[in-house]
Amino acid sequence: MAISPTPAPLFDAGTHAKRWMEDYGARATRGDALAQGAADAWAAMFEELAAVAGDDLGHARERVQRHAADIGTGFRVIGEADERPWPVSPVPLMIGADEWTEIERGIVQRAALFETIVADIYGPGRLVDRGMIPATLVTGSPYFLRPLVGMEPPGGHHLNFVAFDLGRGPTGEWRVLADHLRAPAGAGYALENRLAVSRTLGGLQDRLNVRRHAPFFAAFRAGLAAACKRAEPRIGLLTPGRFNPSYAEQAHLARYLGLLLVEGADLAALEDRVYVRTIDGLKRIDALWRRLDPRLLDPLAFDSHSQIGVPGLIDSYAAGNVVLANAPGVGVLESPAFAAFLPQLATRLTGEGLRLPNIATWWCGQPRERARAEEDLDRLIVAPAFGQPTLGLPGKDAVTGADLSPQQRADLLDDIARRPQDYVGQEIVRLSTMPVVVGDTMVARPFTLRVFAARDGKGEWSVMAGGFARIGEHADDRATVMGEGLWSADVCVFGGEVVAPVSLLPAADSAGIRRNPGTLPSRVADNFYWLGRYLERGEALLSAIRVMLGNSIDADAGAALASETVGRLVGQIVSSGAAPHPHTLRRADLTHTARTAMESLGEGWQSVAEINRHARAIGDGSRDRLSADMMRLLDAPFPTHRGLLDRAGSLQRRYAAIAGLSAEHMGRTSAWRFHDLGRRIERAVAIARATRVFGMPGATADDLQTLLDLGDSQISYRQRYLTGIARVPVVDLVALDPGNPRSLAYQVDCIAAHVSALPVLADDGMAEPQQAEATAIHALVATAAAATLDANRLGEIERRLGQLSDAVARRYFLQGAEPLRAGGLTLA
């Protein structure tokens, strides 16, 4: 009897993948990337997706988004205070190796062409002199920086890192839509997309020999190092700061590449060299991968109103002592008007046409081209020639001529007649589509591709294999309508050759062991210190609120505190600036005070919510050094439990989790020391103040119970003393017992240890001011006795703690006004 073959399972990954492709193919246009691509590769990708998500595409989308959130990917829209999660599609764009080779060649050709042109513009100027480029195309650009004419860039190259936006037409041809030369963004997002998608589609990399991103980043890092004068250069990523839309990407890139993430205030130019302000003094920096607008780089050379630049930076650049990638002024080539001249320039300068053609462009600064643009206005896009707003296009980057109202059309033509050089006409580009998951369905949407190129250690151009795709929100396939897009997608370049598992991590035996964690900028130390202080301040305030709520308002918590004790508690809260003084000590007024002290925002009170906001802002500014778990806790929304006491308890547990992460997961580096030093100083101040208010002679039992609660020492006291509550034992436990991790003495011991372990910048062997203050505080506490500890000594300890904080700030947190020649600063 013949045995029938076992039927294939109805719901295996291959079945799902086939059905998805068939359903999508029935709706997609002929120019879709899937319809025109390698069917086997797309099928393999969908099989990997189905193996993870089954038949639920919505689950696949949520899963890859969750991985992106774990990585810490985010971006900020200008004008918004909070970051948004980076939108990643679970479906990558698949590009075969042969097709990618042609794209790669076009990218290398274009990058080399731009280097030649910009070197001439800031050098001999032959292209303008010979009429190949109109002079107004250069001098009319807001990104042309005249002070740099004749200046040779350190390292010999104006361009080190570039990006280009490509559009794929319905017939499969690729064209350049935009050039990004000033401070190209997005490489970090390409990396994060790859990480998120590879965690979702784990088997795809080996199954299709997907090319990796690590070789590109390694080549770029080697290229920056090779451009520097020193054998082991110090390289930084210069960021505008945490409010920049792509700050999260910049922090991720700095961490991945091992670069210092620095802001303008971190740097100082001195004697034609650039230094980073660190806790060890001034340390020389050799190269900056800048993400700062070049006009804001140096207020002495460009925009004198810049508050985020580095005075004297361009002098150091002119002296050849710091590499800037990219060189200031290269943005002159980004203007859409330049696209009108690139085909001819390519032929004249390279002997061949552009491998990746531009959008057809007509610059209205030329009479014939202007007439063409006006005549074909309904069939063209009109855009600002130099990327700046114009009177004829108020508030718009570009507009389709056919979409203009009669009045808008007349206004535009009038302004073109007045200032024709401010406008270009461009052909309307139709984009190919690709699959994207919307809800739990796969639909076709137009996309663009951003590709990156960087110089390697030999000065040659290396192209990232893939980049990232931006996907439109709507089905309209016109490039001008798509804009920035709604989603992003990984781009997988696949082929037949096995891909070596390259990583930026060194080979197991190739790197020497190093326990020095590296340079700590003063700004980062400042941030970590105040992050610790704010977190501890919030926890202390929350403890006071909970004691007041739990013992004087909550009927289930037992007997209420005496009014005198409640009044002292209220005084603690009010003196911290968290809330106004209540009219009475009645329940309703106390509840109102507690709610203000915990939840008030934007009303001038230093509430728990306001303290959390400060801590979150500090965390955002140091995210390259904080774990994703720490950032999630700092970013967590304020609790919304029904009762105040429940919300306070939830916040207290969050504070405990953050403290646990910093205690158990942060390496014992200088950054951790500053963070813990901030915590210890803030806690010491709070305990000294609480002891002075609740622990002095004449204190009642309620006062002493409150002091134990504020010092989180109730259990320790009960275990140690079985005869009831007494003032001297309570004061000893809370203030002077070095074995109690919540006591004043314990905090002072930790403070002394941290201060002694921090770098000493002077070499005369004498105690520095912060060391002297720590020693004095330690002596005040170590020589105290509980029976005689009085308000005067506790007040002196508080005052000394404030002086210590000021001394630490003066010595280590060097700000812009700090004299660069201050005694003891080292230059290295």
Side-chain angles (χ1 to χ4, degrees):
M1 178 178 177
I3 300 176
S4 301
T6 303
L10 294 177
F11 301 107
D12 67 351
T15 301
H16 292 318
K18 182 178 180 181
R19 181 172 57 78
W20 288 340
M21 292 179 66
E22 290 176 350
D23 291 347
Y24 178 81
R27 300 189 305 273
T29 62
R30 285 173 44 188
D32 186 83
L34 190 155
Q36 291 187 341
D40 291 345
W42 283 96
M45 183 274 296
F46 281 121
E47 286 177 10
E48 292 291 332
L49 196 62
V52 171
D55 194 27
D56 189 349
L57 284 169
H59 173 66
R61 176 177 50 80
E62 293 170 0
R63 182 162 181 160
V64 74
Q65 196 65 59
R66 188 164 59 249
H67 285 311
D70 289 341
I71 296 165
T73 314
F75 72 104
R76 178 178 278 108
V77 175
I78 295 176
E80 294 185 0
D82 297 329
E83 285 186 353
R84 296 183 182 184
W86 179 250
V88 186
S89 170
V91 180
L93 175 65
M94 310 299 293
I95 300 180
D98 292 341
E99 183 178 10
W100 184 255
T101 297
E102 293 304 313
I103 294 174
E104 193 172 42
R105 289 173 179 169
I107 295 297
V108 170
Q109 180 205 37
R110 194 175 190 88
L113 176 62
F114 277 148
E115 177 68 41
T116 300
I117 296 172
V118 76
D120 181 81
I121 288 174
Y122 288 101
R126 296 189 185 95
L127 297 177
V128 172
D129 185 57
R130 295 172 183 174
M132 297 171 64
I133 300 176
T136 52
L137 197 64
V138 175
T139 59
S141 172
Y143 302 113
F144 174 65
L145 302 178
R146 189 177 297 276
L148 299 183
V149 172
M151 193 177 296
E152 182 71 19
H157 302 293
H158 291 83
L159 296 171
N160 300 82
F161 191 95
V162 295
F164 305 101
D165 288 341
L166 307 183
R168 184 180 184 274
T171 58
E173 77 284 359
W174 292 93
R175 283 189 289 181
V176 177
L177 305 178
D179 306 300
H180 302 280
L181 310 176
R182 281 177 294 154
Y189 292 132
L191 175 62
E192 291 165 334
N193 283 356
R194 173 59 53 86
L195 291 173
V197 171
S198 63
R199 292 179 184 180
T200 305
L201 309 179
L204 189 64
Q205 188 112 24
D206 294 332
R207 185 172 179 179
L208 292 180
N209 297 320
V210 176
R211 295 187 186 176
R212 299 172 182 265
H213 290 345
F216 169 79
F217 287 107
F220 171 54
R221 190 170 64 181
L224 280 180
C228 299
K229 291 182 176 180
R230 296 197 296 175
E232 295 186 8
R234 186 177 287 115
I235 302 173
L237 191 157
L238 178 57
T239 173
R242 67 184 182 87
F243 292 111
N244 186 265
S246 62
Y247 178 75
E249 178 222 6
Q250 295 163 27
H252 184 69
L253 279 173
R255 185 165 53 239
Y256 181 72
L257 290 169
L259 308 181
L260 277 177
L261 186 66
V262 294
E263 299 179 18
D266 295 328
L267 304 174
L270 184 65
E271 297 176 349
D272 288 342
R273 286 184 170 84
V274 179
Y275 299 89
V276 59
R277 306 168 189 265
T278 81
I279 63 170
D280 294 292
L282 298 176
K283 301 295 182 182
R284 184 175 173 184
I285 200 157
D286 302 274
L288 291 169
W289 183 18
R290 61 170 187 82
R291 297 291 290 270
L292 193 63
D293 187 317
R295 294 169 296 182
L296 303 177
L297 277 174
D298 184 346
L300 300 181
F302 305 129
D303 187 346
S304 62
H305 296 94
S306 173
Q307 299 294 314
I308 59 176
V310 184
L313 175 63
I314 296 303
D315 287 339
S316 304
Y317 174 77
N321 292 325
V322 63
V323 175
L324 296 178
N326 289 331
V330 298
V332 67
L333 301 185
E334 282 188 0
S335 64
F338 244 101
F341 299 88
L342 280 178
Q344 182 180 10
L345 287 170
T347 302
R348 297 280 295 272
L349 297 176
T350 69
E352 62 177 349
L354 290 171
R355 292 177 177 270
L356 289 173
N358 296 315
I359 305 173
T361 302
W362 295 268
W363 180 45
C364 295
Q366 298 169 294
R368 186 173 62 181
E369 282 72 12
R370 170 192 165 189
R372 168 70 184 275
E374 291 177 338
E375 180 182 349
D376 292 342
L377 185 60
D378 289 340
R379 295 187 293 274
L380 295 177
I381 293 167
V382 180
F386 299 105
Q388 299 291 306
T390 61
L391 290 177
L393 296 172
K396 296 182 179 179
D397 295 330
V399 64
T400 304
D403 294 338
L404 294 171
S405 68
Q407 184 60 51
Q408 290 172 329
R409 182 188 183 95
D411 291 343
L412 175 60
L413 291 174
D414 285 347
D415 201 53
I416 290 177
R418 284 192 297 269
R419 292 187 58 85
Q421 69 273 19
D422 288 347
Y423 295 90
V424 294
Q426 294 180 318
E427 65 173 320
I428 296 175
V429 176
R430 300 283 179 178
L431 297 173
S432 179
T433 57
M434 68 170 286
V436 62
V437 177
V438 178
D440 58 358
T441 305
M442 195 159 58
V443 298
R445 290 290 183 265
F447 71 93
T448 61
L449 172 62
R450 182 164 294 185
V451 184
F452 304 91
R455 291 194 187 275
D456 61 18
K458 298 179 180 179
E460 303 295 329
W461 286 105
S462 172
V463 179
M464 180 191 293
F468 77 94
R470 295 302 299 262
I471 306 171
E473 181 177 2
H474 307 290
D476 193 323
D477 62 356
R478 291 176 295 173
T480 185
V481 173
M482 196 196 105
E484 288 294 315
L486 181 64
W487 297 279
S488 72
D490 186 24
V491 181
C492 295
V493 177
F494 63 91
E497 295 184 7
V498 175
V499 178
V502 178
S503 170
L504 279 188
L505 297 175
D509 299 323
S510 65
I513 294 174
R514 179 177 180 175
R515 292 180 178 173
N516 179 354
T519 304
L520 181 66
S522 295
R523 175 185 56 84
V524 178
D526 194 348
N527 283 348
F528 271 83
Y529 174 80
W530 279 102
L531 179 61
R533 290 205 67 167
Y534 276 122
L535 291 172
E536 196 63 36
R537 186 174 300 175
E539 186 172 353
L541 176 56
L542 206 55
S543 292
I545 294 171
R546 291 190 76 192
V547 172
M548 187 175 70
L549 287 175
N551 289 291
S552 63
I553 296 176
D554 188 355
D556 295 330
L561 293 171
S563 60
E564 293 82 1
T565 302
V566 173
R568 294 187 183 99
L569 261 175
V570 170
Q572 290 281 91
I573 294 171
V574 171
S575 65
S576 71
H581 204 288
H583 298 298
T584 70
L585 297 183
R586 293 175 180 173
R587 173 171 179 160
D589 289 335
L590 291 176
T591 302
H592 178 73
T593 296
R595 182 174 288 109
T596 301
M598 197 161 75
E599 300 177 349
S600 172
L601 269 176
E603 299 177 8
W605 303 111
Q606 287 302 304
S607 65
V608 174
E610 195 71 37
I611 290 169
N612 284 357
R613 186 178 66 81
H614 290 314
R616 179 180 179 181
I618 292 173
D620 283 343
S622 301
R623 64 189 309 154
D624 60 313
R625 294 172 181 264
L626 293 174
S627 69
D629 286 336
M630 179 75 86
M631 288 304 304
R632 268 193 291 273
L633 287 170
L634 292 174
D635 288 340
F638 208 80
T640 57
H641 305 300
R642 175 165 302 204
L644 272 177
L645 200 58
D646 286 341
R647 294 201 290 277
S650 177
L651 282 170
Q652 197 96 35
R653 289 186 289 274
R654 188 183 302 173
Y655 279 124
I658 294 174
L661 278 176
S662 61
E664 298 298 330
H665 293 270
M666 287 183 69
R668 275 13 185 194
T669 62
S670 294
W672 170 79
R673 287 199 180 279
F674 279 104
H675 177 70
D676 200 61
L677 178 62
R679 279 187 175 276
R680 302 301 175 181
I681 289 178
E682 190 69 34
R683 188 180 295 177
V685 169
I687 296 170
R689 188 170 299 159
T691 305
R692 182 162 51 86
V693 172
F694 296 101
M696 294 297 94
T700 66
D702 281 353
D703 289 339
L704 298 175
Q705 291 284 6
T706 298
L707 180 55
L708 288 172
D709 283 335
L710 295 177
D712 197 17
S713 299
Q714 281 278 12
I715 294 176
S716 297
Y717 186 86
R718 291 172 186 173
Q719 289 177 338
R720 188 174 301 182
Y721 301 102
L722 304 178
T723 57
I725 194 163
R727 188 187 74 85
V728 173
V730 169
V731 170
D732 182 76
L733 176 64
V734 172
L736 303 179
D737 185 352
N740 177 9
R742 306 293 296 189
S743 74
L744 174 62
Y746 187 90
Q747 313 316 312
V748 170
D749 285 347
C750 291
I751 290 168
H754 286 320
V755 171
S756 66
L758 291 175
V760 178
L761 305 184
D763 57 4
D764 55 11
M766 301 296 292
E768 293 187 346
Q770 72 277 7
Q771 294 173 315
E773 287 292 348
T775 300
I777 295 169
H778 190 271
L780 282 171
V781 175
T783 58
T788 58
L789 184 63
D790 58 15
N792 289 334
R793 178 169 287 206
L794 288 167
E796 175 68 6
I797 291 170
E798 282 187 63
R799 187 181 67 82
R800 289 276 194 171
L801 286 167
Q803 291 180 181
L804 171 61
S805 182
D806 292 342
V808 168
R810 282 193 301 271
R811 195 48 162 151
Y812 296 108
F813 308 154
L814 302 177
Q815 302 303 314
E818 186 78 15
L820 294 178
R821 289 292 193 182
L825 290 183
T826 56
L827 303 179

